Amino acid sequence: MTDTLTSYRLIAKDLTASLKRKAAEPVVARETAYYEANIGKVKSVDDLLGDQRLYAYAMKAYGLEEMTYAKAFMRKVLEEGAASSASFANRLADDRYTAFARAFSFGQSLSAAGIDAANIEARPRAAALSAPGALSAFSNFSGGAEASFVLESRLNATTTQSVTIRLNASTLSKQVGNLAAVTPEEITDAVRAQIQASSLADKVQVSLGVQGSLYFETTAVTDFGADGVLGGDGMNADTVVQAGGAMRTLTIRNAPLSSSDKIALDVGFGTALGPDSMAQTVTEAYLRQTLESDAGDEDTGVRLALYFARKAPTLISAYDILGDSALSQVVNTVIGLPTTSSATTSEALSNRAALIARKIDFASFQDPAKVDAFVRRFAAIWDSQNNTASAPVLALFANSTSIDAETLSNLQTTRARK
């Protein structure tokens, strides 16, 4: 039987070709074709859960195959979404659920309405929306990254106007100093410019909120008609748009990316795409998951190696390792740690995290060559320690959260305060 290191190298040396071979397998090709042909018909949580083939495909794509039976649990994940930090998915320590909720957001949106004046002396309040998430200190738009969302405002009982905001290398190139490090202020200015070039000019304003998130608010404006002067009839008639009141609304909702080669970038909201727009992303994830799980059927070590190689660039601290049993298995093997079964207290886990942090250079995982070297080291050690391919692989990947959410959150918070 081929050893773990050799098997991993055969797959990883040309991952694109390995994925193409997997995609061509009859069962995989058939399920992928069904997904691509039918996901566009899915418009709600009930639609997705009601089609077992689509639902099972989606769950496997996000590494949640072992949870396919738990439809009530997954319904809660989907219905609460991922826009709010208090949502069910975001309260779980396992980020697979957050990713799943974002991918199958079903056009989730944020809305706000103005408030009518309480009495004749008071002014009606404007509609206002603040993004749930703060902008990053720097956002990289130098490649295919794009933020795309629709900003819509109801002006009165009969008139609603909107603009699709697109932030990408093309729209930002003449407005920012460095596409690879776009600041929150530059993003705000770019959004403002696109609003001003639309039918919502002077009717909606945007600013950078005190928490570092985009903040939108309706404003009052008088349109003097075609002639641009006070008074007139027909096309020249003046129109007054009130800043506030229950008739003024603001809505921000998802918009598909401008092309298939774009990658959604989070600017607080409006970047999570609907399932039909995410079809290519989901099928690519399904192929990678299938490749890894099928490799694991032959050799658990190969699956662990491929999984770690995929996740490594996203790891920033030891707590990312401790929160995932499969990642912990790889790291424990490389640095010679025993299993975490005895590290059940906060103090023990903190000590273990400190030890991992001393042994692992997480910044180096941004270099593919260093990731490959680390994974090869794991595979070689795994080969020396395991005479057969047998291992509790399902336990590792079906229970990726090796620490409960509350304990992990408390540990991360304590670490951040130090």
Side-chain angles (χ1 to χ4, degrees), residues 14-284:
D14 191 344
L15 188 58
T16 300
S18 298
L19 289 168
K20 285 183 177 179
R21 288 193 295 271
K22 182 59 62 178
E25 293 180 4
V27 173
V28 175
R30 183 167 60 250
E31 292 306 306
T32 297
Y34 181 84
Y35 182 87
E36 292 176 335
N38 292 280
I39 192 59
K41 304 172 186 176
V42 172
K43 304 300 182 185
S44 68
V45 173
D46 286 337
D47 289 345
L48 180 63
L49 297 180
D51 189 319
Q52 187 62 27
R53 286 181 73 181
L54 287 179
Y55 170 60
Y57 188 98
M59 291 290 282
K60 184 170 184 177
Y62 284 86
L64 294 168
E65 187 175 11
E66 79 286 350
M67 289 294 290
T68 303
Y69 74 93
K71 285 192 174 182
F73 181 92
M74 294 309 300
R75 176 181 291 278
K76 189 172 178 65
V77 168
L78 291 166
E79 289 182 344
E80 293 194 21
S84 169
S85 59
S87 71
F88 182 59
N90 282 322
R91 295 199 309 271
L92 299 170
D94 192 333
D95 61 7
R96 293 178 301 172
Y97 295 105
T98 304
F100 190 86
R102 285 175 177 163
F104 297 92
S105 60
F106 300 103
Q108 292 176 14
S109 63
L110 296 174
S111 297
I115 300 175
D116 291 326
N119 55 63
I120 196 170
E121 297 179 354
R123 291 185 178 181
R125 289 173 56 185
L129 277 177
S130 182
L135 292 169
S136 300
F138 297 100
S139 298
N140 187 353
F141 285 94
S142 61
E146 179 177 271
S148 183
F149 59 92
V150 174
L151 176 65
E152 180 180 276
S153 181
R154 187 177 66 199
L155 308 181
N156 52 49
T158 60
T159 306
T160 299
Q161 294 177 341
S162 65
V163 57
T164 298
I165 304 295
R166 295 197 194 281
L167 305 176
N168 54 40
S170 177
T171 63
L172 293 172
S173 61
K174 296 181 180 180
Q175 301 180 47
V176 304
N178 181 2
L179 282 170
V182 181
T183 67
E185 291 78 12
E186 288 174 325
I187 288 175
T188 305
D189 289 343
V191 173
R192 183 180 298 115
Q194 292 190 34
I195 292 174
Q196 285 301 109
S198 75
S199 61
L200 288 179
D202 300 320
K203 298 164 188 171
V204 176
Q205 62 185 5
V206 62
S207 60
L208 191 60
V210 293
Q211 301 299 323
S213 59
L214 290 173
Y215 177 81
F216 296 86
E217 187 174 25
T218 55
T219 60
V221 63
T222 300
D223 184 344
F224 292 113
D227 60 0
V229 299
L230 181 65
D233 299 314
M235 293 179 59
N236 296 327
D238 300 342
T239 303
V240 178
V241 176
Q242 301 293 337
M247 299 305 294
R248 282 305 307 270
T249 66
L250 267 178
T251 299
I252 294 178
R253 64 176 185 271
N254 301 335
L257 298 177
S258 59
S259 61
S260 60
D261 61 337
K262 293 292 189 291
I263 302 171
L265 187 147
D266 187 6
V267 292
F269 47 40
T271 57
L273 304 178
D276 51 341
S277 301
M278 290 286 287
Q280 182 177 358
T281 300
V282 174
T283 56
E284 289 173 354

Side-chain angles (χ1 to χ4, degrees), residues 356-380:
I356 292 173
R358 291 196 299 269
K359 297 284 188 178
I360 301 294
D361 178 10
F362 289 94
S364 70
F365 289 156
Q366 300 305 308
D367 182 344
K370 291 182 178 179
V371 172
D372 186 60
F374 186 93
V375 174
R376 289 191 185 197
R377 183 181 175 190
F378 158 75

Side-chain angles (χ1 to χ4, degrees), residues 388-407:
T388 69
S390 62
V393 64
L394 291 180
L396 288 171
F397 289 92
N399 182 25
S400 72
T401 304
S402 58
I403 306 174
D404 67 88
E406 183 177 1
T407 300

